[in-house]
Amino acid sequence: MRIENNKIFIRQSWLGDALMCPERARLSALHPETRKENDSAMMGTAVHAGIEAVLKEELDPDCIGEHSIEAFRLREQELHAIGKSINITNTDPRNWDKHINSMAEAWVRDIYPHVPRGGITEFKFETKVGAIANELFEYELWFEGTMDYFHPQGIWDWKTAARKYYEAEKQSQNIQSAIYAESAVTLGMMNYDVDFTFGVMIRNASSTGQILTVNRTASHGQWIVNQTKSLVNTLLIMQKNLPQEKWLVNDQHYLCSQRWCPVWSMCKGSYITSENNNAEEAN
């Protein structure tokens, strides 16, 4: 959550964190230095770099694996230069290059042929989606973020994951697709209904690609705006009346662990240090 004067900007990643555990979102914002570059996320970012270069026609698709590995190793060098290292979760560093190459090639083989040409890669947006005025607050609500690939036919997002996505789960629960669709419609770039497509690459040495499309309607847009308002209003009340107190703490999810939560040591980890952190890998 970013506040500028009377504008409140919300990113889908922050909203997901805050709905799952408000205190995690608060501490992460207060202590950005705790953010860790974990292995799976860095591999995903590296593959994204290769995909972007291919879609911009700056890279031959046959070279995507090598390009993505180079992006990963460059980021690793940048971390070492500032005294940091990659946070190893549940992958073997000896397999990083193989996994990156396999995922990048899976995108070219299984996903790229279905991607419409002529879209915009890495489309950054800021969109006003509401104005709130009540007895306590008056502010504008904005969504912001970056779409991996925007095309008038639909929005695409590239994911690397430990396993395939479940369509029913993404259709009913996914926040990112609702925020991006509402933003694109509000900006006048497309009309409802909106197709939002995940291009998923399974994280292993013999990766396959998965294409999963969810549909977002005007009703989904109205819901995500109102859901966001309810959360923001609640957090503003807490901040106004109890600024030194913790926000709601929720440990009933698999990301509440030393492995996956960057602020674990400031929260549950300050009470329980012998927690079993062998949680399944985050997607």
Side-chain angles (χ1 to χ4, degrees), residues 34-238:
T34 62
R35 183 177 180 271
K36 297 178 181 179
E37 296 277 4
N38 74 57
D39 46 8
S40 56
M42 276 188 57
M43 284 191 280
T45 300
V47 174
H48 272 69
I51 293 172
E52 181 181 0
V54 169
L55 289 173
K56 288 183 174 180
E57 299 183 344
E58 300 171 350
L59 180 70
D60 188 301
D62 290 340
C63 301
I64 190 173
E66 181 180 355
H67 183 92
S68 299
I69 291 170
E70 289 178 356
F72 181 89
R73 294 304 175 185
L74 177 60
R75 180 56 183 156
E76 183 181 32
Q77 292 172 12
E78 292 172 348
L79 288 175
H80 287 165
I82 57 175
K84 292 187 176 183
S85 60
I86 300 173
N87 180 42
I88 300 173
T89 54
N90 57 357
T91 66
D92 185 340
R94 294 173 298 181
N95 293 328
W96 286 345
D97 286 4
K98 287 189 293 185
H99 287 188
I100 293 168
N101 183 74
S102 179
M103 289 188 291
E105 291 185 347
W107 181 84
V108 170
R109 182 185 64 249
D110 300 333
I111 298 171
Y112 183 45
H114 305 278
V115 178
R117 305 300 191 266
I120 305 171
T121 62
E122 298 298 306
F123 175 70
K124 299 183 184 300
F125 64 90
E126 292 182 353
T127 314
K128 179 183 175 182
V129 294
I132 290 79
N134 55 41
E135 301 81 30
L136 297 176
F137 309 110
E138 185 173 346
Y139 64 89
E140 295 178 357
L141 182 65
W142 290 64
F143 288 153
E144 64 177 352
T146 303
M147 299 180 193
D148 285 347
Y149 189 68
F150 171 83
H151 191 278
Q153 295 178 10
I155 301 167
W156 289 71
D157 195 76
W158 320 123
K159 301 292 188 186
T160 59
R163 61 193 64 83
K164 287 186 175 182
Y165 281 9
Y166 295 103
E167 182 176 358
E169 176 186 328
K170 295 301 178 184
Q171 177 62 39
S172 65
Q173 299 177 13
N174 185 257
I175 290 171
Q176 181 183 20
S177 54
I179 285 182
Y180 284 18
E182 177 66 13
S183 297
V185 170
T186 302
L187 288 170
M189 301 177 69
M190 57 199 327
N191 298 316
Y192 280 120
D193 296 352
V194 173
D195 284 338
F196 184 99
T197 301
F198 297 98
V200 187
M201 294 140 278
I202 309 306
R203 194 182 306 114
N204 57 43
S206 55
S207 181
T208 56
Q210 177 194 17
I211 295 175
L212 190 155
T213 300
V214 298
N215 180 261
R216 290 294 175 254
T217 67
S219 296
H220 289 105
Q222 293 164 6
W223 167 249
I224 196 65
V225 170
N226 279 284
Q227 184 180 36
T228 306
K229 286 179 184 177
S230 69
L231 175 67
V232 170
N233 285 341
T234 300
L235 300 184
L236 289 176
I237 290 170
M238 279 290 297

